[in-house]
Amino acid sequence: MEKLKKYVSVKDEDHFYHQGAVELLIFNFLLILTILTIWLFKNHRFRFLHETGGAMLYGLVMGLIIRYVTKSPDVESGTVYECEKLKSGPSTLLINITNQVYEYQYKREISHHNVNGHQGNAMLQKMTFDPSIFFNILLPPIIFHAGYSLKKRHFFRNLGSILTYAFLGTAISCIVIGLIMYGFVKAMVHIGQLKPWEFHFTDCLFFGSLMSATDPVTVLAIFHELNVDTDLYTLLFGESVLNDAVAIVLTHSISIYSPKENPNAFDAAAFFQSVGNFLGIFAGSFAMGSSYAVVTALISFMHLTKFTKLCEFPMLETGLFFLLSWSAFLSAEAAGLTGIVAVLFCGVTQAHYTYNNLSADSKMRTKQLFEFMNFLAENVIFCYMGLALFTFQNHIFNPLFIFGALVAVFVARASNIYPLSFLLNLGRKQKIPRNFQHMMMFSGLRGAIAFALAIRDTGSQPKQMMFTTALLIVFSTVWVFGGGTTPMLTWLQIRVGVDPDEDLKAKAASQSTSNLDKNTTKAESAWLFRIWYGFDHKYLKPLLTHAGPPLTSTLPEWCSPVARLLTSPSAYGDQLKDGDTDYIINNDELTENYESSAHIPVPAQDSTASIQTTGKEDIQEGDLGLGGYKLQLQHTAGQPQKNSLA
Amino acid sequence: MEKLKKYVSVKDEDHFYHQGAVELLIFNFLLILTILTIWLFKNHRFRFLHETGGAMLYGLVMGLIIRYVTKSPDVESGTVYECEKLKSGPSTLLINITNQVYEYQYKREISHHNVNGHQGNAMLQKMTFDPSIFFNILLPPIIFHAGYSLKKRHFFRNLGSILTYAFLGTAISCIVIGLIMYGFVKAMVHIGQLKPWEFHFTDCLFFGSLMSATDPVTVLAIFHELNVDTDLYTLLFGESVLNDAVAIVLTHSISIYSPKENPNAFDAAAFFQSVGNFLGIFAGSFAMGSSYAVVTALISFMHLTKFTKLCEFPMLETGLFFLLSWSAFLSAEAAGLTGIVAVLFCGVTQAHYTYNNLSADSKMRTKQLFEFMNFLAENVIFCYMGLALFTFQNHIFNPLFIFGALVAVFVARASNIYPLSFLLNLGRKQKIPRNFQHMMMFSGLRGAIAFALAIRDTGSQPKQMMFTTALLIVFSTVWVFGGGTTPMLTWLQIRVGVDPDEDLKAKAASQSTSNLDKNTTKAESAWLFRIWYGFDHKYLKPLLTHAGPPLTSTLPEWCSPVARLLTSPSAYGDQLKDGDTDYIINNDELTENYESSAHIPVPAQDSTASIQTTGKEDIQEGDLGLGGYKLQLQHTAGQPQKNSLA
């Protein structure tokens, strides 16, 4: 008896500690393969399959192998045990089996029709990891990195358009997909493929909101490699970053929307509650994220007489930066807000304020750390998507629904981009040309966020159908549109090989010649932005960073004691080169420091080095250090006048 | 019904996705506090409480708060449900509760007397995380970093002594602790505190093996800060690194040891099986770890004509390096070996070969990445140790056992250090002086590994008693001995403020004057090491790195076509400066490149800059960039002749 027990405990221990090693090893293997493939592609300048497409492909093959090669059915799972004593599912359950007490942890609720699906093999179950891992571990570094590496100069130039596409566009997209899907669902009910009570209009809207998160990572990587027109790049990047945040909050709000009576009828109270929810969650998450960043900026800025500054200890600085940014995510989650949105705005704010206070070493450390985490997380997600097609056990392939979704996604993208571009062009000095609109339409790829939102809930049959459909749409868009980006650029005659700094100067010059007063520059940005910029430049930047004019000169006279206390000694030195002569150029300061210090860790005052910028930006945007490549599409690059915005 | 279900699913979802956020936030908060404290300490040059001690203290306070402030007993847990239909515990369990199927996942087996302990509050349970997280996530980066940052030059000078302390010393320590504890256990049985069948001699040995893992991280940090004599540093660091590996494998072997008949009697067959197991697992893990590193070296060395070298893409290179090193750990775990040992030797081999092939950028990236992961993981473990004192639910405090363990730990450390030092001094040219021995005796702190090994199995009462005792010993040694390091150094009159390079040269010079032939240098190292060194220098290094003589000159004539193919073009250039005139100096090449490139990312040929080395090494050893501090113990530093080894 004693011996037997010992044996059992050893066996259990072995099972316990090697648990997960094989599965993680499979992921490592897939990632290693992906990296080697990227290396191969980079060597052959092969742009028809992006690394994420490759990762997905490897995942697919591995999923196929796991599915059909390993077959070890777990007999016990699949049997449902009755428990009359319990009223609801407790978080832990102690069960006495043949005189041994085992502890079981609550995993999830499953609907009755899925019980048989559980009779699959154990390996498949192990490879299917917890969806919360996507939200809590894999997405935050990706989103933070997007915020942290945002090219603010170009972003703010196009702020209005980006916000329009992100907020209004996503809402349009969500509603259009929802309506089209509702039509298809009605048709499916009509031909008997679906029961009427299974799929409500809110479910269609839910699907619409999750399918509205675009993720043109493939397209952006190619844009970046080819130095496509910066405005197009910024519009697309800015839209995709903000649109993720909007789609996530929208999905959450729709899942909360519960009309009192008939779920298909419109309930105004519930609707406005959802809208309020959306705004509340978005604003709350925004506030949470930026306040953590402000705290980080304040700590790293702290300059007490008795203290060595934190930037003397790069490791502590990096650690604090990392932990506070992660805390922004966690606090938002813990407070019932959306962590992803918080971490996005935390990233933007960190780049805007904290980055200025960091030591040169920490600037590099943080950039490289987040770049690396982004790279790994992105490839893990795409590998997993490939795997999920075969390892996920409850797929429901419904051809009509899939077809409907494909149609809906394209119609929705079109009714997002074209009408909004038309409206925006009414107000913009620099119009968004037709070919840019086509390219944006073409770049409506779906990726990580749509997948993560879809896998979050796969408990019921409609949700499983949505998940399968979302997965297939991700596959097809990434492979077809991702692969078709380069031909499409050629076909649409979009400028490539643009130096972003030269471009900006050229545009600014052409504007100032046509219209000499400052109003042109201002007209580009909304009035709200100008007020914000002034406030930021005069008060926030001096308070939180070493940049900007000293507070003593910006604050009113009677505040001068406070101002002197809060102003960093180094700020006085900057006073000469400062002034409010040109919003855009001042706005560039951070970005330029950023870029040059990413390349060379030493001082960064060479704002004239426009020739080097291409090489620098390669590193900044995390394209794996692909520096000095010749452009393949020289003939398109040869027609800059034709396609330029001026 | 429909609405209710929706409500339930939303509620569940919320519960599900915010799960873990609060707990992680608490950890983040503790880590942020720790970092701020370190900053404060660094500013005040306060060395009586090391950061790990601080982390533990904060954990303790937080544990106290969680324990006594949050009280929300989970009613359901604590009740044991009967299940007659099952024969053994399946990995997943589907349970039908009021017509809803819930999925439960197997967590662990618990013994009957612990069932009531589960009636604690839910927060405590959540804060107690899975012990496998220590082994699979937190320990590997710490151990890898130790291997990767090993100062090989000094390490190889003292290889024999380090191996003796690590292998023989750990075995002695394990047996001595085991025997003393067995005495105490007998006494406890005698006075009725323990039932005789609860605690066998193998359990005592198990306790002995886990308590044999020393972790002088606190002491080493102070040594490094004060630039204590390099030989002492190396002996202690080398011993602690290898001794962890030995202790882990030893614990595993002892847990497998199961004598056929009476568990207290000696069973020769089972004993030799355990010894075989130990050797097999150790050798297997070693082979696994180093072969992954060799693969990494080969990939990063690959230089095909059509290919850009991998080092052109620093991100890919870093990614591959990281993934392959982690794969070494996972493969060893999956193969039933010890991942920690594999990852240690993987780190050593990576530093020896792969590091030479990396681009300057990747050298820095990998160093900083692992340094950062090490920093975080170490502080998380120490925070958690503090927390565990109050949040762990099944502590068994037995004063006699704790007292016995304290006595045993000291006696064991003494019978490890003093006899072995005596034996080693018989063979060593440079004797280990008395004060070094006392310092090594004093530095027998217990830390992360002992804790991780103890928390691995807390299923039975004896194991819980061991866990509680191990935790208290970690606390007391870290606080008392960690805090007492600086006074102890002064009291023992150990040299501080030693420049490692100067030191080595001085020692080499004093030797070469006393004995002019090369044999002195060789006599220091074992013959085995010399053979290995020759082989490594002539064949492995040229094959795997760009360093060393070209293979064409080292391989026999008839191999020349193969040799030409395998030799890197840059190797021919190195031929001039190469030769086998001095083993030690050649051996330094890597270390010096390593140090200088850690500081300045650009070329690293300045092997003469001995004055700068102190600053460089600060960064290399990851002491958070604490560079230019004045030494506080100048009066000890003023007596170098008295305590020097010569």
Side-chain angles (χ1 to χ4, degrees):
Chain A
M1 167 69 204
E2 181 63 26
K3 230 176 56 193
L4 186 76
K5 211 173 142 188
K6 179 156 270 166
Y7 171 74
V8 168
S9 103
V10 167
K11 193 209 129 210
D12 275 7
E13 202 177 273
D14 271 23
H15 159 81
F16 191 56
Y17 293 109
H18 304 153
Q19 177 196 37
V22 179
E23 293 81 38
L24 281 173
L25 200 58
I26 291 176
F27 271 100
N28 268 17
F29 173 70
L30 288 177
L31 289 176
I32 291 167
L33 262 184
T34 308
I35 289 182
L36 293 177
T37 315
I38 302 171
W39 181 26
L40 190 80
F41 284 2
K42 294 260 179 211
N43 270 292
H44 292 270
R45 293 173 181 73
F46 184 77
R47 288 200 195 85
F48 295 97
L49 185 57
H50 183 249
E51 58 202 68
T52 49
M56 228 151 69
L57 198 65
Y58 287 127
L60 206 71
V61 173
M62 183 56 86
L64 207 67
I65 293 170
I66 293 173
R67 175 118 207 180
Y68 295 107
V69 176
T70 68
K71 270 276 179 203
S72 59
D74 191 342
V75 189
E76 289 297 351
S77 64
T79 326
V80 182
Y81 300 94
E82 301 293 324
C83 196
E84 292 86 11
K85 290 171 218 159
L86 281 166
K87 293 286 157 293
S88 63
S91 60
T92 44
L93 205 61
L94 301 181
I95 291 182
N96 191 346
I97 300 165
T98 58
N99 231 10
Q100 272 293 324
V101 182
Y102 295 96
E103 187 180 340
Y104 280 84
Q105 199 163 28
Y106 177 78
K107 204 175 161 196
R108 55 177 175 156
E109 185 190 328
I110 38 176
S111 51
H112 286 276
H113 75 275
N114 281 339
V115 169
N116 286 332
H118 272 260
Q119 219 131 17
N121 77 48
M123 191 67 194
L124 288 189
Q125 274 183 30
K126 278 183 199 158
M127 290 305 292
T128 321
F129 59 62
D130 197 326
S132 72
I133 289 177
F134 284 105
F135 269 85
N136 294 333
I137 296 172
L138 295 173
L139 284 187
I142 296 180
I143 304 288
F144 182 87
H145 182 253
Y148 196 55
S149 65
L150 199 78
K151 288 182 185 177
K152 274 191 305 305
R153 173 177 39 168
H154 298 278
F155 181 75
F156 282 117
R157 268 175 64 91
N158 295 294
L159 189 69
S161 312
I162 290 171
L163 289 177
T164 313
Y165 285 126
F167 281 84
L168 212 57
T170 309
I172 291 174
S173 166
C174 168
I175 292 166
V176 170
I177 296 179
L179 286 171
I180 295 177
M181 288 325 288
Y182 194 57
F184 273 92
V185 163
K186 282 272 177 225
M188 282 158 74
V189 169
H190 195 73
I191 61 169
Q193 283 191 353
L194 214 62
K195 314 242 160 16
W197 59 86
E198 279 186 330
F199 225 103
H200 303 300
F201 182 58
T202 46
D203 292 318
C204 292
L205 273 183
F206 179 83
F207 184 70
S209 66
L210 73 88
M211 286 315 295
S212 295
T214 59
D215 182 15
V217 52
T218 317
V219 176
L220 288 173
I222 293 170
F223 275 24
H224 185 256
E225 204 166 301
L226 297 178
N227 283 313
V228 166
D229 186 283
T230 332
D231 275 300
L232 177 57
Y233 182 91
T234 311
L235 281 176
L236 208 54
F237 183 71
E239 185 222 346
S240 78
V241 166
L242 283 180
N243 142 303
D244 290 346
V246 175
I248 289 171
V249 182
L250 208 56
T251 312
H252 188 74
S253 306
I254 290 173
S255 73
I256 289 172
Y257 174 78
S258 48
K260 290 249 158 55
E261 312 284 317
N262 177 2
N264 280 320
F266 180 78
D267 180 338
F271 173 77
F272 283 111
Q273 203 193 331
S274 270
V275 171
N277 246 314
F278 174 85
L279 294 176
I281 291 174
F282 204 93
S285 308
F286 176 86
M288 185 74 87
S290 25
S291 52
Y292 266 96
V294 166
V295 168
T296 319
L298 279 175
I299 290 177
S300 58
F301 177 60
M302 244 159 59
H303 186 77
L304 303 175
T305 40
K306 284 176 76 180
F307 269 62
T308 321
K309 273 196 277 178
L310 189 62
C311 64
E312 306 278 314
F313 312 104
M315 170 69 98
L316 295 185
E317 208 180 4
T318 312
L320 207 61
F321 188 93
F322 173 80
L323 289 171
L324 280 168
S325 305
W326 195 21
S327 295
F329 173 83
L330 293 171
S331 305
E333 286 290 308
L337 302 167
T338 310
I340 299 285
V341 178
V343 90
L344 169 66
F345 291 106
C346 181
V348 174
T349 319
Q350 296 278 37
H352 195 58
Y353 299 117
T354 317
Y355 192 83
N356 284 321
N357 301 337
L358 295 180
S359 63
D361 194 10
S362 288
K363 282 183 185 173
M364 226 188 352
R365 276 174 190 243
T366 51
K367 263 214 67 56
Q368 291 181 348
L369 180 69
F370 287 111
E371 201 178 301
F372 182 68
M373 285 167 68
N374 171 60
F375 174 75
L376 276 191
E378 208 166 74
N379 283 303
V380 167
I381 291 187
F382 279 90
C383 272
Y384 187 72
M385 283 196 229
L387 270 174
L389 194 61
F390 289 103
T391 58
F392 184 72
Q393 311 246 24
N394 302 313
H395 276 303
I396 299 184
F397 291 94
N398 185 319
L400 194 58
F401 193 83
I402 294 165
F403 173 73
L406 272 171
V407 170
V409 161
F410 290 112
V411 174
R413 184 77 189 161
S415 42
N416 165 359
I417 297 297
Y418 295 118
L420 288 183
S421 301
F422 174 76
L423 287 176
L424 285 170
N425 276 343
L426 295 181
R428 277 177 76 104
K429 288 267 162 189
Q430 297 186 338
K431 309 291 181 207
I432 301 167
R434 269 280 162 209
N435 58 351
F436 280 26
Q437 295 178 27
H438 295 319
M439 196 64 221
M440 287 187 76
M441 165 75 205
F442 182 83
S443 309
L445 282 76
R446 267 59 176 180
I449 307 277
F451 176 78
L453 286 170
I455 206 176
R456 217 165 164 168
D457 182 6
T458 53
S460 63
Q461 248 165 325
K463 293 282 158 70
Q464 287 163 10
M465 204 157 76
M466 287 183 200
F467 173 66
T468 307
T469 310
L471 193 57
L472 288 174
I473 288 179
V474 171
F475 276 115
S476 51
T477 54
V478 168
W479 281 333
V480 175
F481 296 95
T485 307
T486 325
M488 199 67 182
L489 280 173
T490 323
W491 193 65
L492 289 174
Q493 299 188 307
I494 288 172
R495 287 207 304 164
V496 296
V498 180
D499 178 349
D501 286 309
E502 284 293 314
D503 190 34
L504 195 78
K505 281 171 193 160
K507 279 171 194 170
S510 74
Q511 269 183 2
S512 54
T513 45
S514 65
N515 197 339
L516 275 163
D517 68 349
K518 284 198 301 188
N519 293 327
T520 15
T521 334
K522 286 185 182 172
E524 277 182 77
S525 342
W527 59 272
L528 188 69
F529 171 64
R530 268 180 292 142
I531 292 172
W532 156 249
Y533 182 81
F535 181 72
D536 176 50
H537 184 68
K538 278 194 186 145
Y539 306 110
L540 289 183
K541 274 213 164 175
L543 190 67
L544 297 172
T545 72
H546 300 295
L551 279 176
T552 40
S553 69
T554 53
L555 279 179
E557 196 63 48
W558 55 270
C559 297
S560 64
V562 186
R564 254 197 298 280
L565 196 73
L566 292 170
T567 301
S568 142
S570 65
Y572 293 104
D574 294 349
Q575 206 168 357
L576 280 176
K577 63 171 181 171
D578 217 276
D580 53 353
T581 45
D582 190 336
Y583 283 129
I584 301 297
I585 300 300
N586 280 332
N587 201 16
D588 291 350
E589 271 172 11
L590 169 64
T591 322
E592 280 179 14
N593 282 332
Y594 196 86
E595 282 159 11
S596 40
S597 58
H599 199 217
I600 312 152
V602 229
Q605 298 296 351
D606 55 334
S607 50
T608 52
S610 58
I611 303 155
Q612 289 179 24
T613 315
T614 321
K616 283 171 194 169
E617 293 217 335
D618 274 330
I619 288 170
Q620 186 203 356
E621 287 298 303
D623 83 330
L624 320 163
L626 180 89
Y629 274 156
K630 298 286 176 297
L631 287 162
Q632 298 295 297
L633 290 169
Q634 285 297 359
H635 70 103
T636 353
Q639 314 167 327
Q641 298 315 321
K642 190 174 171 187
N643 302 303
S644 80
L645 291 176
Chain B
M1 166 70 203
E2 180 63 28
K3 229 177 58 194
L4 186 76
K5 210 173 143 187
K6 179 156 270 167
Y7 171 74
V8 167
S9 102
V10 167
K11 194 210 128 208
D12 276 6
E13 202 177 273
D14 270 23
H15 160 81
F16 191 56
Y17 291 111
H18 304 154
Q19 177 197 39
V22 179
E23 292 81 39
L24 282 173
L25 200 58
I26 290 175
F27 271 100
N28 268 16
F29 173 69
L30 289 176
L31 289 176
I32 290 167
L33 262 185
T34 307
I35 289 182
L36 293 177
T37 314
I38 301 171
W39 181 26
L40 191 80
F41 285 2
K42 295 259 178 211
N43 271 291
H44 292 269
R45 293 173 182 76
F46 185 77
R47 287 201 196 86
F48 296 98
L49 184 59
H50 183 250
E51 59 203 67
T52 50
M56 228 150 68
L57 199 64
Y58 287 128
L60 206 71
V61 173
M62 183 56 85
L64 207 66
I65 294 171
I66 294 173
R67 175 117 207 180
Y68 295 107
V69 175
T70 69
K71 270 278 179 203
S72 60
D74 191 343
V75 188
E76 289 297 351
S77 63
T79 327
V80 182
Y81 300 95
E82 300 294 325
C83 196
E84 292 87 12
K85 290 171 216 157
L86 281 167
K87 293 287 156 290
S88 63
S91 58
T92 46
L93 205 60
L94 302 181
I95 291 182
N96 191 345
I97 300 166
T98 58
N99 231 11
Q100 273 293 327
V101 182
Y102 295 97
E103 188 178 338
Y104 281 84
Q105 200 164 27
Y106 177 78
K107 204 176 160 198
R108 55 177 174 155
E109 186 190 326
I110 38 177
S111 50
H112 286 276
H113 75 275
N114 282 338
V115 168
N116 286 333
H118 273 259
Q119 220 131 14
N121 76 47
M123 192 67 195
L124 287 189
Q125 275 182 30
K126 278 182 197 158
M127 290 306 291
T128 321
F129 57 63
D130 196 325
S132 72
I133 289 177
F134 284 105
F135 268 85
N136 295 333
I137 297 173
L138 295 173
L139 284 187
I142 296 180
I143 304 286
F144 183 88
H145 182 254
Y148 196 55
S149 65
L150 199 77
K151 287 182 186 177
K152 275 194 303 308
R153 173 178 40 167
H154 297 278
F155 181 74
F156 281 117
R157 268 174 64 92
N158 295 294
L159 188 69
S161 311
I162 290 171
L163 288 178
T164 313
Y165 285 126
F167 281 84
L168 212 56
T170 309
I172 290 174
S173 166
C174 168
I175 293 166
V176 169
I177 296 178
L179 285 171
I180 294 177
M181 288 324 289
Y182 194 56
F184 274 91
V185 164
K186 281 274 177 222
M188 283 157 73
V189 169
H190 195 72
I191 61 168
Q193 283 192 351
L194 214 64
K195 312 238 160 19
W197 59 87
E198 278 186 329
F199 225 105
H200 303 299
F201 183 59
T202 46
D203 292 317
C204 292
L205 272 183
F206 178 83
F207 184 69
S209 65
L210 74 88
M211 287 314 297
S212 296
T214 60
D215 182 15
V217 53
T218 317
V219 177
L220 288 173
I222 293 169
F223 275 25
H224 185 256
E225 204 167 299
L226 297 177
N227 282 312
V228 165
D229 186 284
T230 332
D231 275 300
L232 177 57
Y233 183 91
T234 311
L235 280 176
L236 208 54
F237 183 72
E239 186 222 344
S240 78
V241 166
L242 283 180
N243 140 304
D244 289 346
V246 175
I248 289 171
V249 182
L250 207 56
T251 312
H252 188 73
S253 307
I254 290 172
S255 74
I256 289 173
Y257 173 78
S258 49
K260 290 251 158 54
E261 312 285 318
N262 178 0
N264 280 319
F266 180 79
D267 180 337
F271 173 76
F272 284 111
Q273 204 192 330
S274 271
V275 171
N277 247 314
F278 175 85
L279 295 176
I281 291 175
F282 204 94
S285 308
F286 176 86
M288 185 74 87
S290 24
S291 53
Y292 267 96
V294 166
V295 168
T296 319
L298 280 175
I299 291 177
S300 59
F301 177 61
M302 246 162 55
H303 187 78
L304 303 175
T305 40
K306 285 175 76 181
F307 268 63
T308 322
K309 273 195 275 178
L310 189 60
C311 62
E312 306 279 316
F313 312 103
M315 171 69 98
L316 295 185
E317 208 180 4
T318 311
L320 207 62
F321 188 92
F322 173 80
L323 290 171
L324 280 168
S325 304
W326 195 20
S327 295
F329 173 83
L330 293 171
S331 305
E333 285 291 308
L337 302 167
T338 311
I340 299 285
V341 178
V343 91
L344 169 66
F345 290 107
C346 181
V348 174
T349 319
Q350 296 279 37
H352 196 58
Y353 298 117
T354 317
Y355 192 83
N356 285 321
N357 301 337
L358 295 181
S359 62
D361 194 10
S362 289
K363 280 182 186 175
M364 227 187 353
R365 276 174 188 245
T366 52
K367 264 214 67 55
Q368 290 180 348
L369 180 70
F370 287 111
E371 201 178 300
F372 182 68
M373 286 167 67
N374 171 60
F375 174 74
L376 276 192
E378 210 166 72
N379 283 303
V380 168
I381 290 187
F382 279 90
C383 273
Y384 188 72
M385 282 196 229
L387 272 175
L389 194 61
F390 289 103
T391 58
F392 185 71
Q393 312 245 24
N394 302 313
H395 276 302
I396 299 183
F397 291 95
N398 185 319
L400 194 59
F401 193 82
I402 294 166
F403 173 73
L406 272 171
V407 170
V409 161
F410 290 112
V411 174
R413 185 76 188 163
S415 42
N416 166 0
I417 298 297
Y418 295 118
L420 289 183
S421 301
F422 175 76
L423 287 177
L424 286 170
N425 276 344
L426 295 181
R428 278 175 75 103
K429 287 267 163 191
Q430 298 186 335
K431 309 291 181 206
I432 301 167
R434 269 281 162 207
N435 59 352
F436 279 27
Q437 295 177 26
H438 295 319
M439 196 65 221
M440 287 186 76
M441 166 74 205
F442 182 83
S443 309
L445 281 77
R446 266 60 176 179
I449 308 276
F451 176 78
L453 285 169
I455 206 176
R456 217 167 164 166
D457 182 6
T458 53
S460 63
Q461 248 165 324
K463 292 280 156 72
Q464 286 162 10
M465 204 158 76
M466 287 183 199
F467 173 65
T468 308
T469 310
L471 192 57
L472 288 174
I473 287 178
V474 171
F475 276 114
S476 51
T477 54
V478 167
W479 281 334
V480 175
F481 295 95
T485 307
T486 325
M488 199 67 182
L489 279 173
T490 323
W491 193 65
L492 289 175
Q493 299 190 307
I494 289 173
R495 286 205 305 163
V496 295
V498 181
D499 178 349
D501 286 308
E502 284 294 314
D503 190 36
L504 196 78
K505 278 170 193 159
K507 280 172 192 169
S510 73
Q511 269 183 1
S512 53
T513 45
S514 65
N515 196 339
L516 274 163
D517 67 349
K518 284 199 301 188
N519 292 329
T520 14
T521 334
K522 284 185 181 173
E524 276 183 77
S525 342
W527 59 271
L528 187 68
F529 171 63
R530 268 180 291 142
I531 293 173
W532 157 250
Y533 182 81
F535 180 72
D536 176 50
H537 184 70
K538 278 193 186 147
Y539 306 110
L540 290 183
K541 274 215 164 176
L543 190 65
L544 297 172
T545 73
H546 300 296
L551 279 176
T552 39
S553 68
T554 53
L555 279 180
E557 196 64 48
W558 55 269
C559 297
S560 65
V562 186
R564 255 196 297 279
L565 195 72
L566 292 171
T567 301
S568 141
S570 65
Y572 294 104
D574 295 348
Q575 208 168 358
L576 281 175
K577 63 171 180 171
D578 218 275
D580 53 354
T581 46
D582 190 335
Y583 283 129
I584 300 297
I585 300 300
N586 279 331
N587 201 17
D588 292 350
E589 272 171 10
L590 168 63
T591 321
E592 282 179 13
N593 282 333
Y594 196 86
E595 284 159 9
S596 40
S597 57
H599 199 216
I600 312 152
V602 229
Q605 298 294 349
D606 58 333
S607 49
T608 52
S610 59
I611 303 154
Q612 288 179 25
T613 316
T614 322
K616 284 171 193 168
E617 291 216 337
D618 273 329
I619 288 170
Q620 186 204 356
E621 287 296 304
D623 81 331
L624 321 164
L626 180 88
Y629 274 155
K630 297 286 176 297
L631 286 163
Q632 297 295 297
L633 291 169
Q634 284 296 358
H635 69 102
T636 353
Q639 313 167 326
Q641 298 314 322
K642 190 174 171 188
N643 301 305
S644 79
L645 290 174

